[in-house]
Amino acid sequence: MRTREVLKTLALLPLATLAACKPSTPEAKFNAVDITGADYARDFALPDPSGKVRTLADFRGKVVVVFFGFTQCPDVCPTTMAELAEIKRQLGKDGERLQAVFITVDPERDTPEILKAYMSNFDPSFVALRPSLDQLAAVAKDYKVYYKKVEGKTAGSYTMDHSAGSYLYDPQGRLRLYSRYGSGAAGLKADIETLLKS
């Protein structure tokens, strides 16, 4: 009887050892789509309104949220920027470690002056980037972003169709998440807080 109990105990030891090897904290769960390790959208090199070329390295130590849009957008773009500004406010002191980057898909109309004014409406620390048309085509391809000019009823009046999600990078500059438009500010804030701790 005693031998049987000893054998049972010995048989269970490997399982106990394996259980002890499991990490004590579960992997981070995100609300947005986890795209860690993706081989696209790794960086950009585009001019800001003052002409200075900016890259992800400029924002090392911060969670970076990259969004493609245009200043005459009636809903998606201002909603996204307003959500990010509110999240930054709610983060308190940690808000200084959140960086929004707005890449215009309408560089013809979005002049440096317009982009500066647009960003200051939401948060003065938010950065707008204004690629040339060739740069825009290249960066949109790299980020798998759709954009298209849609002609209006009169000459010169047009709008832009474009992808509406945001890319999130952790403080080490690694691409981590894709947040779909309309997912909600609460979930996005929780994801940003998780990335800030990474």
Side-chain angles (χ1 to χ4, degrees):
M1 189 76 165
R2 200 169 274 185
T3 307
R4 218 179 262 174
E5 287 173 9
V6 170
L7 289 172
K8 266 188 188 173
T9 304
L10 289 173
L12 291 173
L13 272 175
L15 294 174
T17 307
L18 283 173
C21 291
K22 286 178 101 177
S24 57
T25 52
E27 286 186 30
K29 299 277 191 241
F30 294 107
N31 297 290
V33 180
D34 190 337
I35 55 172
T36 302
D39 63 352
Y40 57 91
R42 291 207 177 150
D43 205 350
F44 50 79
L46 300 171
D48 66 15
S50 65
K52 181 182 177 183
V53 173
R54 309 302 291 268
T55 68
L56 276 172
D58 294 334
F59 311 113
R60 191 59 58 97
K62 298 182 177 185
V63 168
V64 179
V65 182
V66 175
F67 179 81
F68 287 76
F70 66 114
T71 62
Q72 293 192 37
C73 176
D75 42 35
V76 173
C77 303
T79 300
T80 300
M81 291 296 107
E83 277 186 357
L84 288 171
E86 179 58 21
I87 289 168
K88 181 180 176 184
R89 189 191 66 74
Q90 289 177 10
L91 288 171
K93 192 175 178 183
D94 280 343
E96 295 169 14
R97 295 178 60 214
L98 172 62
Q99 180 64 58
V101 175
F102 180 92
I103 300 176
T104 181
V105 296
D106 188 14
E108 293 175 278
R109 287 186 301 194
D110 286 346
T111 64
E113 295 74 25
I114 287 172
L115 286 169
K116 271 185 193 173
Y118 188 74
M119 289 294 101
S120 66
N121 283 331
F122 302 104
D123 189 282
S125 74
F126 288 4
V127 172
L129 301 177
R130 183 176 181 257
S132 67
L133 291 174
D134 287 342
Q135 287 173 324
L136 174 59
V139 75
K141 183 178 179 183
D142 182 49
Y143 274 73
K144 302 184 184 299
V145 166
Y146 167 82
Y147 70 98
K148 182 183 177 184
K149 184 188 282 190
V150 180
E151 294 299 340
K153 292 179 181 178
T154 59
S157 75
Y158 63 88
T159 189
M160 300 294 295
D161 281 349
H162 64 94
S163 304
S166 301
Y167 289 93
L168 280 74
Y169 298 80
D170 66 20
Q172 290 75 45
R174 298 173 300 202
L175 177 62
R176 299 296 302 278
L177 304 173
Y178 180 77
S179 177
R180 294 185 178 100
Y181 174 72
S183 299
L188 182 57
K189 177 177 177 276
D191 286 348
I192 289 168
E193 287 174 322
T194 301
L195 291 177
L196 283 171
K197 292 170 190 167
S198 66

Tab-separated table of all heavy atoms in Angstrom, residues 27-35 62-65 84 87 91 97-98 166-171 176-180 183-198:
chain	number	residue	atom	x	y	z
A	27	GLU	N	-0.354	36.671	-19.566
A	27	GLU	CA	0.046	37.595	-20.631
A	27	GLU	C	-0.967	38.716	-20.723
A	27	GLU	O	-2.129	38.548	-20.397
A	27	GLU	CB	0.123	36.848	-21.961
A	27	GLU	CG	1.334	35.953	-22.066
A	27	GLU	CD	1.453	35.343	-23.445
A	27	GLU	OE1	1.013	35.974	-24.423
A	27	GLU	OE2	1.979	34.233	-23.536
A	28	ALA	N	-0.470	39.887	-21.180
A	28	ALA	CA	-1.346	41.062	-21.288
A	28	ALA	C	-2.491	40.770	-22.248
A	28	ALA	O	-2.298	40.203	-23.318
A	28	ALA	CB	-0.542	42.253	-21.767
A	29	LYS	N	-3.680	41.149	-21.845
A	29	LYS	CA	-4.864	41.021	-22.699
A	29	LYS	C	-5.207	42.416	-23.199
A	29	LYS	O	-5.271	43.366	-22.416
A	29	LYS	CB	-6.035	40.454	-21.898
A	29	LYS	CG	-5.764	39.069	-21.336
A	29	LYS	CD	-6.038	38.002	-22.360
A	29	LYS	CE	-6.026	36.637	-21.732
A	29	LYS	NZ	-5.029	35.753	-22.251
A	30	PHE	N	-5.419	42.541	-24.500
A	30	PHE	CA	-5.702	43.839	-25.100
A	30	PHE	C	-7.117	43.881	-25.666
A	30	PHE	O	-7.669	42.860	-26.056
A	30	PHE	CB	-4.700	44.143	-26.215
A	30	PHE	CG	-3.282	44.314	-25.728
A	30	PHE	CD1	-2.336	43.337	-25.967
A	30	PHE	CD2	-2.909	45.456	-25.049
A	30	PHE	CE1	-1.031	43.488	-25.527
A	30	PHE	CE2	-1.606	45.628	-24.599
A	30	PHE	CZ	-0.667	44.641	-24.839
A	31	ASN	N	-7.672	45.075	-25.738
A	31	ASN	CA	-8.968	45.290	-26.391
A	31	ASN	C	-8.781	45.409	-27.897
A	31	ASN	O	-9.609	44.950	-28.671
A	31	ASN	CB	-9.631	46.555	-25.835
A	31	ASN	CG	-9.930	46.419	-24.353
A	31	ASN	OD1	-10.793	45.660	-23.962
A	31	ASN	ND2	-9.194	47.136	-23.526
A	32	ALA	N	-7.684	46.054	-28.307
A	32	ALA	CA	-7.378	46.222	-29.729
A	32	ALA	C	-6.769	44.924	-30.270
A	32	ALA	O	-6.490	43.991	-29.524
A	32	ALA	CB	-6.411	47.395	-29.914
A	33	VAL	N	-6.560	44.881	-31.579
A	33	VAL	CA	-5.984	43.707	-32.232
A	33	VAL	C	-4.479	43.692	-31.978
A	33	VAL	O	-3.769	44.653	-32.310
A	33	VAL	CB	-6.271	43.732	-33.754
A	33	VAL	CG1	-5.676	42.507	-34.428
A	33	VAL	CG2	-7.763	43.833	-34.026
A	34	ASP	N	-3.992	42.601	-31.398
A	34	ASP	CA	-2.566	42.465	-31.098
A	34	ASP	C	-1.830	42.083	-32.381
A	34	ASP	O	-2.039	41.003	-32.928
A	34	ASP	CB	-2.369	41.395	-30.019
A	34	ASP	CG	-0.947	41.356	-29.485
A	34	ASP	OD1	-0.023	41.805	-30.193
A	34	ASP	OD2	-0.752	40.861	-28.361
A	35	ILE	N	-0.966	42.975	-32.869
A	35	ILE	CA	-0.197	42.697	-34.091
A	35	ILE	C	1.302	42.719	-33.800
A	35	ILE	O	2.111	42.996	-34.680
A	35	ILE	CB	-0.574	43.673	-35.239
A	35	ILE	CG1	-0.415	45.135	-34.789
A	35	ILE	CG2	-1.969	43.418	-35.752
A	35	ILE	CD1	-0.579	46.141	-35.925
A	62	LYS	N	7.632	56.727	-25.022
A	62	LYS	CA	6.199	57.037	-25.008
A	62	LYS	C	5.420	55.958	-25.755
A	62	LYS	O	5.966	55.270	-26.624
A	62	LYS	CB	5.924	58.383	-25.696
A	62	LYS	CG	6.588	59.575	-25.022
A	62	LYS	CD	6.210	60.855	-25.749
A	62	LYS	CE	6.801	62.072	-25.048
A	62	LYS	NZ	6.333	63.332	-25.674
A	63	VAL	N	4.149	55.839	-25.423
A	63	VAL	CA	3.243	55.050	-26.249
A	63	VAL	C	2.837	55.968	-27.399
A	63	VAL	O	2.354	57.084	-27.173
A	63	VAL	CB	1.999	54.578	-25.468
A	63	VAL	CG1	0.948	54.015	-26.420
A	63	VAL	CG2	2.383	53.528	-24.446
A	64	VAL	N	3.068	55.525	-28.628
A	64	VAL	CA	2.773	56.339	-29.813
A	64	VAL	C	1.541	55.775	-30.502
A	64	VAL	O	1.445	54.568	-30.743
A	64	VAL	CB	3.977	56.355	-30.782
A	64	VAL	CG1	3.658	57.180	-32.026
A	64	VAL	CG2	5.218	56.898	-30.086
A	65	VAL	N	0.596	56.659	-30.804
A	65	VAL	CA	-0.611	56.285	-31.544
A	65	VAL	C	-0.570	57.005	-32.891
A	65	VAL	O	-0.575	58.232	-32.942
A	65	VAL	CB	-1.892	56.673	-30.778
A	65	VAL	CG1	-3.129	56.237	-31.556
A	65	VAL	CG2	-1.901	56.061	-29.379
A	84	LEU	N	-8.241	60.795	-28.053
A	84	LEU	CA	-6.848	60.713	-27.589
A	84	LEU	C	-6.518	61.841	-26.619
A	84	LEU	O	-5.813	61.633	-25.628
A	84	LEU	CB	-5.892	60.723	-28.781
A	84	LEU	CG	-5.864	59.441	-29.614
A	84	LEU	CD1	-5.048	59.623	-30.888
A	84	LEU	CD2	-5.322	58.271	-28.791
A	87	ILE	N	-8.129	60.900	-23.340
A	87	ILE	CA	-7.370	59.824	-22.699
A	87	ILE	C	-6.105	60.387	-22.070
A	87	ILE	O	-5.758	60.048	-20.931
A	87	ILE	CB	-7.044	58.704	-23.714
A	87	ILE	CG1	-8.316	57.936	-24.077
A	87	ILE	CG2	-5.979	57.748	-23.164
A	87	ILE	CD1	-8.163	57.002	-25.266
A	91	LEU	N	-5.138	60.207	-18.065
A	91	LEU	CA	-3.946	59.504	-17.601
A	91	LEU	C	-3.161	60.309	-16.566
A	91	LEU	O	-2.241	59.779	-15.945
A	91	LEU	CB	-3.028	59.162	-18.789
A	91	LEU	CG	-3.508	58.060	-19.719
A	91	LEU	CD1	-2.622	57.976	-20.957
A	91	LEU	CD2	-3.548	56.717	-19.002
A	97	ARG	N	3.412	60.671	-21.381
A	97	ARG	CA	4.045	59.558	-22.090
A	97	ARG	C	3.147	58.992	-23.198
A	97	ARG	O	3.380	57.898	-23.689
A	97	ARG	CB	4.435	58.466	-21.102
A	97	ARG	CG	5.503	58.930	-20.113
A	97	ARG	CD	5.839	57.844	-19.115
A	97	ARG	NE	6.338	56.648	-19.797
A	97	ARG	CZ	6.119	55.397	-19.387
A	97	ARG	NH1	5.396	55.170	-18.309
A	97	ARG	NH2	6.607	54.378	-20.058
A	98	LEU	N	2.139	59.759	-23.591
A	98	LEU	CA	1.282	59.390	-24.720
A	98	LEU	C	1.530	60.382	-25.850
A	98	LEU	O	1.439	61.590	-25.656
A	98	LEU	CB	-0.191	59.414	-24.318
A	98	LEU	CG	-1.208	59.234	-25.462
A	98	LEU	CD1	-1.047	57.874	-26.134
A	98	LEU	CD2	-2.628	59.408	-24.942
A	166	SER	N	-6.107	53.030	-35.813
A	166	SER	CA	-4.877	53.602	-35.259
A	166	SER	C	-3.877	52.495	-34.953
A	166	SER	O	-4.254	51.402	-34.519
A	166	SER	CB	-5.171	54.366	-33.963
A	166	SER	OG	-6.094	55.404	-34.185
A	167	TYR	N	-2.606	52.799	-35.155
A	167	TYR	CA	-1.525	51.888	-34.804
A	167	TYR	C	-0.907	52.332	-33.486
A	167	TYR	O	-0.635	53.524	-33.307
A	167	TYR	CB	-0.450	51.887	-35.894
A	167	TYR	CG	-0.887	51.216	-37.174
A	167	TYR	CD1	-1.452	51.948	-38.212
A	167	TYR	CD2	-0.732	49.840	-37.342
A	167	TYR	CE1	-1.864	51.329	-39.386
A	167	TYR	CE2	-1.133	49.216	-38.509
A	167	TYR	CZ	-1.693	49.964	-39.532
A	167	TYR	OH	-2.102	49.353	-40.691
A	168	LEU	N	-0.671	51.388	-32.574
A	168	LEU	CA	-0.086	51.704	-31.274
A	168	LEU	C	1.280	51.049	-31.127
A	168	LEU	O	1.435	49.856	-31.419
A	168	LEU	CB	-0.984	51.240	-30.126
A	168	LEU	CG	-2.168	52.142	-29.774
A	168	LEU	CD1	-3.280	52.032	-30.821
A	168	LEU	CD2	-2.728	51.787	-28.407
A	169	TYR	N	2.239	51.842	-30.658
A	169	TYR	CA	3.603	51.390	-30.419
A	169	TYR	C	3.906	51.487	-28.928
A	169	TYR	O	3.462	52.433	-28.268
A	169	TYR	CB	4.603	52.264	-31.194
A	169	TYR	CG	4.420	52.191	-32.688
A	169	TYR	CD1	3.415	52.929	-33.314
A	169	TYR	CD2	5.236	51.390	-33.474
A	169	TYR	CE1	3.222	52.862	-34.689
A	169	TYR	CE2	5.051	51.316	-34.848
A	169	TYR	CZ	4.043	52.053	-35.447
A	169	TYR	OH	3.861	51.975	-36.806
A	170	ASP	N	4.672	50.540	-28.420
A	170	ASP	CA	5.029	50.587	-27.006
A	170	ASP	C	6.186	51.572	-26.789
A	170	ASP	O	6.738	52.112	-27.768
A	170	ASP	CB	5.334	49.176	-26.468
A	170	ASP	CG	6.579	48.532	-27.073
A	170	ASP	OD1	7.441	49.252	-27.619
A	170	ASP	OD2	6.690	47.296	-26.986
A	171	PRO	N	6.567	51.843	-25.534
A	171	PRO	CA	7.617	52.837	-25.274
A	171	PRO	C	8.986	52.496	-25.869
A	171	PRO	O	9.841	53.362	-25.982
A	171	PRO	CB	7.690	52.890	-23.741
A	171	PRO	CG	6.312	52.509	-23.294
A	171	PRO	CD	5.889	51.442	-24.276
A	176	ARG	N	2.648	47.238	-31.677
A	176	ARG	CA	1.963	46.280	-30.819
A	176	ARG	C	0.493	46.052	-31.167
A	176	ARG	O	0.011	44.945	-31.138
A	176	ARG	CB	2.053	46.741	-29.353
A	176	ARG	CG	3.478	46.855	-28.827
A	176	ARG	CD	4.185	45.512	-28.799
A	176	ARG	NE	3.494	44.532	-27.986
A	176	ARG	CZ	3.584	44.436	-26.667
A	176	ARG	NH1	4.368	45.255	-25.993
A	176	ARG	NH2	2.921	43.509	-26.004
A	177	LEU	N	-0.250	47.146	-31.460
A	177	LEU	CA	-1.704	47.016	-31.588
A	177	LEU	C	-2.262	47.781	-32.773
A	177	LEU	O	-1.695	48.785	-33.218
A	177	LEU	CB	-2.392	47.550	-30.319
A	177	LEU	CG	-1.998	46.944	-28.977
A	177	LEU	CD1	-2.648	47.726	-27.844
A	177	LEU	CD2	-2.387	45.474	-28.920
A	178	TYR	N	-3.418	47.296	-33.253
A	178	TYR	CA	-4.215	48.034	-34.230
A	178	TYR	C	-5.593	48.236	-33.609
A	178	TYR	O	-6.293	47.279	-33.281
A	178	TYR	CB	-4.343	47.272	-35.553
A	178	TYR	CG	-5.163	48.010	-36.571
A	178	TYR	CD1	-4.629	49.091	-37.273
A	178	TYR	CD2	-6.490	47.659	-36.816
A	178	TYR	CE1	-5.391	49.785	-38.205
A	178	TYR	CE2	-7.253	48.353	-37.745
A	178	TYR	CZ	-6.693	49.412	-38.432
A	178	TYR	OH	-7.452	50.109	-39.342
A	179	SER	N	-5.955	49.496	-33.414
A	179	SER	CA	-7.235	49.830	-32.790
A	179	SER	C	-8.216	50.313	-33.852
A	179	SER	O	-7.965	51.307	-34.536
A	179	SER	CB	-7.031	50.923	-31.732
A	179	SER	OG	-8.271	51.297	-31.162
A	180	ARG	N	-9.316	49.573	-34.004
A	180	ARG	CA	-10.327	49.950	-35.000
A	180	ARG	C	-11.118	51.165	-34.524
A	180	ARG	O	-11.408	51.292	-33.329
A	180	ARG	CB	-11.289	48.784	-35.240
A	180	ARG	CG	-10.631	47.578	-35.881
A	180	ARG	CD	-11.670	46.505	-36.193
A	180	ARG	NE	-11.079	45.366	-36.846
A	180	ARG	CZ	-10.752	44.237	-36.238
A	180	ARG	NH1	-10.953	44.110	-34.933
A	180	ARG	NH2	-10.221	43.234	-36.903
A	183	SER	N	-14.043	51.580	-31.468
A	183	SER	CA	-13.877	50.558	-30.427
A	183	SER	C	-14.138	51.110	-29.024
A	183	SER	O	-14.344	50.344	-28.096
A	183	SER	CB	-12.464	49.968	-30.487
A	183	SER	OG	-12.252	49.348	-31.729
A	184	GLY	N	-14.091	52.420	-28.884
A	184	GLY	CA	-14.375	53.040	-27.586
A	184	GLY	C	-13.133	53.527	-26.875
A	184	GLY	O	-12.092	52.865	-26.897
A	185	ALA	N	-13.252	54.687	-26.241
A	185	ALA	CA	-12.122	55.306	-25.558
A	185	ALA	C	-11.684	54.512	-24.337
A	185	ALA	O	-10.496	54.467	-24.019
A	185	ALA	CB	-12.483	56.737	-25.158
A	186	ALA	N	-12.621	53.870	-23.638
A	186	ALA	CA	-12.276	53.134	-22.415
A	186	ALA	C	-11.318	51.982	-22.714
A	186	ALA	O	-10.321	51.789	-22.018
A	186	ALA	CB	-13.535	52.616	-21.732
A	187	GLY	N	-11.625	51.219	-23.768
A	187	GLY	CA	-10.758	50.103	-24.147
A	187	GLY	C	-9.397	50.575	-24.614
A	187	GLY	O	-8.364	49.979	-24.286
A	188	LEU	N	-9.377	51.671	-25.375
A	188	LEU	CA	-8.120	52.232	-25.875
A	188	LEU	C	-7.267	52.728	-24.707
A	188	LEU	O	-6.058	52.489	-24.657
A	188	LEU	CB	-8.403	53.363	-26.863
A	188	LEU	CG	-7.185	54.018	-27.520
A	188	LEU	CD1	-6.327	53.002	-28.258
A	188	LEU	CD2	-7.635	55.128	-28.474
A	189	LYS	N	-7.890	53.384	-23.754
A	189	LYS	CA	-7.172	53.871	-22.572
A	189	LYS	C	-6.556	52.708	-21.798
A	189	LYS	O	-5.395	52.764	-21.376
A	189	LYS	CB	-8.107	54.666	-21.661
A	189	LYS	CG	-7.458	55.150	-20.362
A	189	LYS	CD	-8.434	55.992	-19.549
A	189	LYS	CE	-7.847	56.418	-18.227
A	189	LYS	NZ	-7.976	55.404	-17.182
A	190	ALA	N	-7.319	51.637	-21.621
A	190	ALA	CA	-6.812	50.465	-20.906
A	190	ALA	C	-5.606	49.866	-21.633
A	190	ALA	O	-4.612	49.485	-21.005
A	190	ALA	CB	-7.918	49.423	-20.752
A	191	ASP	N	-5.673	49.809	-22.959
A	191	ASP	CA	-4.550	49.279	-23.745
A	191	ASP	C	-3.318	50.168	-23.604
A	191	ASP	O	-2.190	49.677	-23.477
A	191	ASP	CB	-4.938	49.160	-25.219
A	191	ASP	CG	-5.877	47.996	-25.496
A	191	ASP	OD1	-6.048	47.137	-24.600
A	191	ASP	OD2	-6.443	47.953	-26.599
A	192	ILE	N	-3.520	51.478	-23.649
A	192	ILE	CA	-2.406	52.419	-23.509
A	192	ILE	C	-1.760	52.272	-22.126
A	192	ILE	O	-0.526	52.248	-21.998
A	192	ILE	CB	-2.885	53.870	-23.761
A	192	ILE	CG1	-3.193	54.055	-25.258
A	192	ILE	CG2	-1.832	54.889	-23.295
A	192	ILE	CD1	-3.935	55.329	-25.593
A	193	GLU	N	-2.576	52.119	-21.101
A	193	GLU	CA	-2.047	51.923	-19.741
A	193	GLU	C	-1.227	50.641	-19.653
A	193	GLU	O	-0.161	50.614	-19.022
A	193	GLU	CB	-3.191	51.885	-18.730
A	193	GLU	CG	-3.819	53.251	-18.495
A	193	GLU	CD	-5.055	53.208	-17.609
A	193	GLU	OE1	-5.843	52.244	-17.732
A	193	GLU	OE2	-5.220	54.139	-16.808
A	194	THR	N	-1.696	49.575	-20.308
A	194	THR	CA	-0.958	48.315	-20.311
A	194	THR	C	0.388	48.489	-21.016
A	194	THR	O	1.425	48.016	-20.528
A	194	THR	CB	-1.771	47.198	-20.997
A	194	THR	OG1	-3.011	47.028	-20.303
A	194	THR	CG2	-1.019	45.883	-21.028
A	195	LEU	N	0.380	49.189	-22.149
A	195	LEU	CA	1.629	49.413	-22.897
A	195	LEU	C	2.589	50.304	-22.101
A	195	LEU	O	3.819	50.110	-22.176
A	195	LEU	CB	1.336	50.030	-24.264
A	195	LEU	CG	0.637	49.123	-25.280
A	195	LEU	CD1	0.337	49.885	-26.560
A	195	LEU	CD2	1.484	47.884	-25.587
A	196	LEU	N	2.073	51.255	-21.372
A	196	LEU	CA	2.932	52.137	-20.566
A	196	LEU	C	3.680	51.348	-19.496
A	196	LEU	O	4.778	51.739	-19.083
A	196	LEU	CB	2.108	53.242	-19.910
A	196	LEU	CG	1.677	54.403	-20.817
A	196	LEU	CD1	0.691	55.305	-20.114
A	196	LEU	CD2	2.900	55.200	-21.280
A	197	LYS	N	3.094	50.254	-19.068
A	197	LYS	CA	3.737	49.422	-18.039
A	197	LYS	C	4.741	48.441	-18.622
A	197	LYS	O	5.493	47.807	-17.880
A	197	LYS	CB	2.670	48.635	-17.259
A	197	LYS	CG	1.772	49.510	-16.402
A	197	LYS	CD	0.612	48.699	-15.855
A	197	LYS	CE	-0.416	49.607	-15.203
A	197	LYS	NZ	-1.685	48.928	-14.935
A	198	SER	N	4.742	48.309	-19.944
A	198	SER	CA	5.622	47.296	-20.574
A	198	SER	C	7.070	47.766	-20.640
A	198	SER	O	7.347	48.940	-20.566
A	198	SER	CB	5.130	46.956	-21.973
A	198	SER	OG	5.240	48.062	-22.834
